[in-house]
């Protein structure tokens, strides 16, 4: 299974409530899923991984500089291993999504304590500039 197969279930989880960008370049990072809340304007970053929860957690934790909430999304077969380390996810404030046909929350993320409004606003504008023309024609 590839990471790209995890995208659609995560997109369905966020759809309707968020404007969603895929593989968004923010500074030197490429975020697998970057979404902006339609009502509050909050930013959500999601790192997709089939099984390497440690690498995904490191990446998602760094996204807290530009996202209000961060998740790791793992294939459901790897979720149990990650859940054994629930305390680390909670300490870092990173949420966990389990992905099979749908995505479901296993650990809720905490609001980022490190978000830079300037970087978050730039990332948000990048998504809005890219997605707004498509939204008008849909």
């Amino acid at each position: 299974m590839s990471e790209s197969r995890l995208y659609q279930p995560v997109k369905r989880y966020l759809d309707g409530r968020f404007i969603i960008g895929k593989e968004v370049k923010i500074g030197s990072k490429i975020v697998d899923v970057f979404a902006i809340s339609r009502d509050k304007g909050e930013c959500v970053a999601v790192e997709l991984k089939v099984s390497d929860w440690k690498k995904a957690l490191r990446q998602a934790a760094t996204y807290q500089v530009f996202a209000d909430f961060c998740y790791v999304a793992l294939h459901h077969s790897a979720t149990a291993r990650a859940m054994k380390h629930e305390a680390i996810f909670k300490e870092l404030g990173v949420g966990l999504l389990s992905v099979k046909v749908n995505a479901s929350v296993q650990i809720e993320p905490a609001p980022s304590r490190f978000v830079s409004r300037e970087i978050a606003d730039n990332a948000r504008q990048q998504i809005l500039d890219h997605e707004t023309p498509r939204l008008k024609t849909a």
Side-chain angles (χ1 to χ4, degrees):
M1 166 167 276
S2 66
E3 287 179 14
S4 63
R5 299 207 41 207
L6 301 176
Y7 174 73
Q8 283 301 323
V10 171
K11 183 180 184 297
R12 280 194 301 274
Y13 172 74
L14 297 169
D15 237 356
R17 301 171 293 148
F18 293 87
I19 299 168
I20 303 165
K22 182 179 180 184
E23 295 181 347
V24 177
K25 185 170 177 30
I26 301 172
S28 64
K29 308 285 184 196
I30 296 178
V31 181
D32 292 330
V33 180
F34 190 77
I36 303 163
S37 166
R38 292 182 185 277
D39 57 351
K40 298 179 184 175
E42 294 173 325
C43 299
V44 174
V46 183
E47 181 60 31
L48 306 174
K49 285 284 185 264
V50 174
S51 63
D52 192 348
W53 70 268
K54 290 179 187 177
K55 183 175 182 181
L57 182 58
R58 284 191 300 271
Q59 288 175 272
T62 66
Y63 299 162
Q64 291 177 329
V65 173
F66 50 78
D68 298 295
F69 298 93
C70 299
Y71 288 93
V72 166
L74 293 174
H75 186 265
H76 74 99
S77 63
T79 304
R81 283 188 303 272
M83 285 298 294
K84 290 178 184 176
H85 306 278
E86 181 177 3
I88 297 170
F89 280 82
K90 288 185 173 184
E91 182 179 325
L92 293 173
V94 175
L96 176 62
L97 297 172
S98 179
V99 181
K100 191 172 183 178
V101 174
N102 293 309
S104 62
V105 177
Q106 304 301 301
I107 301 171
E108 290 287 345
S112 174
R113 302 178 308 247
F114 310 106
V115 70
S116 159
R117 278 296 126 211
E118 181 180 350
I119 297 171
D121 288 347
N122 288 340
R124 183 182 296 107
Q125 195 58 52
Q126 180 181 336
I127 295 295
L128 293 174
D129 289 347
H130 183 262
E131 293 300 321
T132 300
R134 290 178 30 186
L135 293 172
K136 288 180 182 173
T137 60

